[in-house]
Amino acid sequence: MMPEPYRVLFMDNHIIAALKAPGILSQADRTGDPDMLTLLKAHVKDVYHKPGGVYIGLVHRLDRPVGGVMVFARTSKAAARLCEQIRRGSVERGYLAVCHGEVRDGFTLTDWLKKDPETNKVALTDTDAPGAKLAVTRCEPITCLNGRTLVSIWIETGRAHQIRAQMAARGHPVAGDTKYGRNGSGEPVALYARSLCFTHPTLGTRMAFEHTPVHGAFAAFTEAAGQ
């Protein structure tokens, strides 16, 4: 379990790697609910006793119900370099998901997605649709249990709701995802950013962070593995 809203995994003068808890926003919105940028700014001010403003750059996002590993920039130079790595596809982003149904074989999903700002949902569309963006997702099943499958996922693009929309379109919606899946029993969305690998923006060294979820629908698979 991860009751705290965030946990810092690594911090230096250039970056912060941290865990975002499910339900915490990546950045502030009109709800005024807790968000990672505000929380990490307060963290840096507290650790370094900074009297003035603190810069934290958001270089990628996780959906509100999705927890897991994120990296933030502490300088504008680091932000620009991390964003460039993401643009080039050199940042490796791995997820775990518990999906409905039995997934027996690995596959790659290649779709064009378009977001409806009024409903805040994305849908698969034609390649020539205005505003459509390419989404590529690689999936590999780990184990099946009680009509659900624990799936390891890697994204080659970072589109809004990418994994949730693509898996639902294939008949394997993420457990707990009422936006794209089924009416659930109130369980949290079983999608988690398990791993993140990137090059440090100033040192040039390859850095990797990983955290395995044990909350919600993931707990059953954790317990089964321990038997």
Side-chain angles (χ1 to χ4, degrees):
M1 298 296 290
M2 189 173 59
E4 64 269 35
Y6 74 96
R7 185 189 309 167
V8 172
L9 302 174
F10 174 86
M11 179 168 64
D12 64 10
N13 291 332
H14 308 280
I15 64 170
I16 299 177
L19 294 179
K20 180 182 91 67
I24 301 297
L25 295 164
S26 292
Q27 65 181 133
D29 67 6
R30 59 189 178 186
T31 66
D33 293 338
D35 71 279
M36 289 296 290
L37 283 183
T38 301
L39 291 168
L40 291 178
K41 286 178 182 179
H43 180 86
V44 170
K45 285 178 70 69
D46 180 61
V47 170
Y48 294 103
H49 307 290
K50 284 183 171 288
V54 171
Y55 175 87
I56 301 291
L58 183 72
V59 298
H60 68 118
R61 295 173 175 81
L62 291 178
D63 295 344
R64 178 169 185 162
V66 178
V69 185
M70 299 183 71
V71 64
F72 299 82
R74 289 198 57 203
T75 67
S76 57
K77 178 185 289 187
R81 291 179 177 178
L82 288 170
C83 286
E84 177 61 18
Q85 288 184 51
I86 292 173
R87 189 191 68 79
R88 294 198 315 264
S90 60
V91 175
E92 298 174 20
R93 290 172 283 180
Y95 291 74
L96 278 180
V98 176
C99 298
H100 288 286
E102 294 189 355
V103 181
R104 293 297 183 182
D105 300 299
F107 52 86
T108 297
L109 303 176
T110 302
D111 299 298
W112 288 84
L113 303 180
K114 184 175 181 179
K115 187 173 184 179
D116 183 341
E118 293 187 3
T119 61
N120 192 32
K121 291 183 65 174
V122 300
L124 277 62
T125 187
D126 297 328
T127 58
D128 57 354
K133 296 182 178 180
L134 179 65
V136 181
T137 303
R138 294 183 288 118
C139 307
E140 192 68 37
I142 299 174
T143 185
C144 298
L145 181 67
N146 299 326
R148 292 178 171 184
T149 305
L150 181 66
V151 183
S152 185
I153 297 174
W154 296 267
I155 59 171
E156 297 183 12
T157 56
R159 309 307 181 196
H161 304 179
Q162 173 175 328
I163 296 171
R164 297 161 64 187
Q166 288 185 294
M167 293 302 290
R170 267 61 180 201
H172 297 293
V174 174
D177 188 1
T178 57
K179 182 181 284 287
Y180 292 96
R182 307 173 182 177
N183 293 327
S185 58
E187 64 180 336
V189 174
L191 178 62
Y192 195 82
R194 176 175 62 169
S195 62
L196 186 66
C197 185
F198 57 91
T199 300
H200 192 284
T202 59
L203 300 178
T205 55
R206 198 69 176 164
M207 306 192 75
F209 299 93
E210 184 169 331
H211 185 265
T212 300
V214 295
H215 66 282
F218 296 107
F221 289 90
T222 302
E223 293 169 2
Q227 292 178 352

